[in-house]
Amino acid sequence: MSEETKYTANAGYALGRLERALAVAAASDDPALRERAEARADAWRAVLAGMADGSLTIGARTPVADTPAWVTLEVVHGGFATGRYLAEGPLVEHEAQLLAQLPADAPGESPRERLNLWYLGDVGHEALTSAVAQRRLDVTLPEEGALPVVAWLIEHGHEGAALELIAALRPLMHRLRFYPRLVSIPRPGGASVRLSTVSAVAEALRARRPNPRVVAMNATLQRWNPLYDRLVALWLETVEGEAPHLALDARGQLARQRSGQPIVAGGWPCQRWPADWGSRRDRWLADAREARGSSRHDHPKSNFACLQAALERCPKDSAALSGRDVAAIRRALAKSIARHGAPGSPRREALRAEQAAIAARPLHVELAAVLLARLAAYPDDGGLPAVEPVAAPTGEGERAGVPAGVAIPPGLIKKVTRALEAPIDELVERGVIRSSEVIAIVLPQITAQVAAAGIEEPALRGLYEQIYAAFRRRRSLLLLNLEHQVRLDELPWIAALAPLRSDDLGTHEAARQTLEQATVLALSSFPQTILPNPFVRELGALCERAALSLPLVEEVAADIFMGTFTSKWPRAAKRAAQLLEGSLYARYYDLPGPDHAAYREASAAAPKRRRWGRAVADDFAALCRERAAEAGTGGRSFVAANGAILEQSQILTTHNLAILVDGLELRERIAGVAPELAARALRWIVARQSQPPASHFKARLQLVKNSAYALRQALFFLSLCDERSAAQVVYGFQADVQARDPAWARRFAPVVAGVQLILEGDRFDERGRGRGGAARRLLGWATDGHWLLRDA
């Protein structure tokens, strides 16, 4: 097969995902979960059908036949396109309402074409122009910004550009929605972001269902416990003399028979029968039938079950009961009194009062309804300016059956806080943003403003922001053959606005400041994790706006690695080698010097080899393969072999850490907090690694990989510290490991010894070992079984 052969994805992955979705749908008792699983199965069926008939080419940047690259596709897990257009599908509510108002003779062959053409008419044009000027647009897909751009261009004298744009859109007007939902409340601007809209939070609250366990517990507390007390009291009325109780020995402990059973002292039941005992027995049984249902008293060997069964067999006296039955009743009474006290005693009354108060608390689903009513005061597509008014304790009469002054549970407050509009760092501090991946989700809300900063006209700037943010929400495609994702400027309506943008020093500086803030926030908030691809892509977009040429590299999936790298990888590695030469990181990983032959491809003058139309760095790939030999040469998994090569590419480039710290001149700023960042990353490793191992082997492999990545992050931060601070952090790492389970600490000891080995100026051998094998370099990938898992 030639190097220029175009590779496509294998259908086996899609088939496995379909089988998994069908299994979940078949096994689930939850209707909502089953519905989601069936929808996933339907999407994977579409993927497989398209791959089978040739209408889908998975791995290409235009995977759907006869479809422009700018069309937003439905993309499922792994980057597989289903062939569906997200701006197509059935009419949504606002479209159906508008369609019903159109004249019967409105032009267009399909409902969507009629709506698109209406917006190109006088009335629709005026509606769009007004909405753009007042920021009353809700652009959820990039395509929905196309006709508003047309309206703005026409309104501002750019008719030629508008006509060219209409010509580009016209072939798909019968299928795609090129207009947004028009809203009544203007969208706010500013530097605040939110993770969810009010409507999304409301939907999550609406989906809550009563917890069956809590319902059963409340039934026990409210109905069955009073019945239990009455049952014990009924049988105690038949006792002659002292109530049965568990005997104690001379030391005040339970006295036991040879069999181990506790010794019961006191009187015997079924010795006397009050006159109305039979009628009260019948009433109790009737009440128990009325309150039937699950409870903690259902266990057949419980005291409750024993006393109830005896009551059902004993009409009015003990004639129907054997001596063994009476002994069982006596023992059950003694155990119940020992545990809770006798019915009517202060001890038992206090317990029942506490349990009644617990049972009277509103269910979470009732408090969720209170929050829903409060959220109704905010725009559905907006956020919350503050959480406190929504999360305040319940007020008088807010909801029937819910008293005033009840605190909203933390779990529900956490859901509401997802809609809070605040600076990113505040959302990180509140725990709303818990990973760099989530930062990447909200970052486009900030970068959209940076991207639009070069547009002078405020209304158009607001429209550009919305289109940008919607474009960044597009799911990435699985790409092979070194292809790149569709770029924003490939959208025809964004390209039409290019002449109206003017980047100057002010916009460059704003982009650089945002880039610095985002980088520092991610590194300081989540020092143990590598920067995820969506976050790297946002940083790349900011670099373009800031006129910075930084060779940021993405994490490549091991199962789609094409065997080589583009030329930015050796450029990034050379820069990392220059920054880290002689450092702890460089010594731990035996980094080549910045003049290594594999980095010559980083030079603009070096000859470039090309594959699939792109310059490739084959010498750098050869270096990574050579270094990957440490991960082993056995095994039959090409994924593990690829993973070992890719890990070396991350080690050599520091996966963007050196590029960002050096390129943004952040070294001094990061160095001040580097010891703490390194310590946190190392504590994360110990906390995760020392937990009981996961049952699934793939989960254990993933943990090893994540731990190796976290160690790499920690070593980078330690390389920015002075020697004394670095040593203190490493000694703390050792103490943390030694304080854990001894068996695990012995297995993990070579990792600690490896860091100490390099700290003390020694080196690993060619196999990544030192001190006779007592110290080992931790890598995340192994081709023949990872040594850290062999004794797990």
Side-chain angles (χ1 to χ4, degrees), residues 678-696:
R680 283 166 53 194
L682 295 174
R683 286 196 296 268
W684 183 91
I685 295 172
V686 176
R688 295 299 186 278
Q689 279 284 334
S690 60
Q691 290 175 349
S695 57
H696 200 289

Side-chain angles (χ1 to χ4, degrees), residues 557-561 634-645 781 783:
D559 57 348
I560 63 168
F561 176 51
R636 292 177 293 177
S637 170
F638 81 93
V639 174
N642 283 350
I645 296 171
W781 287 88
T783 61

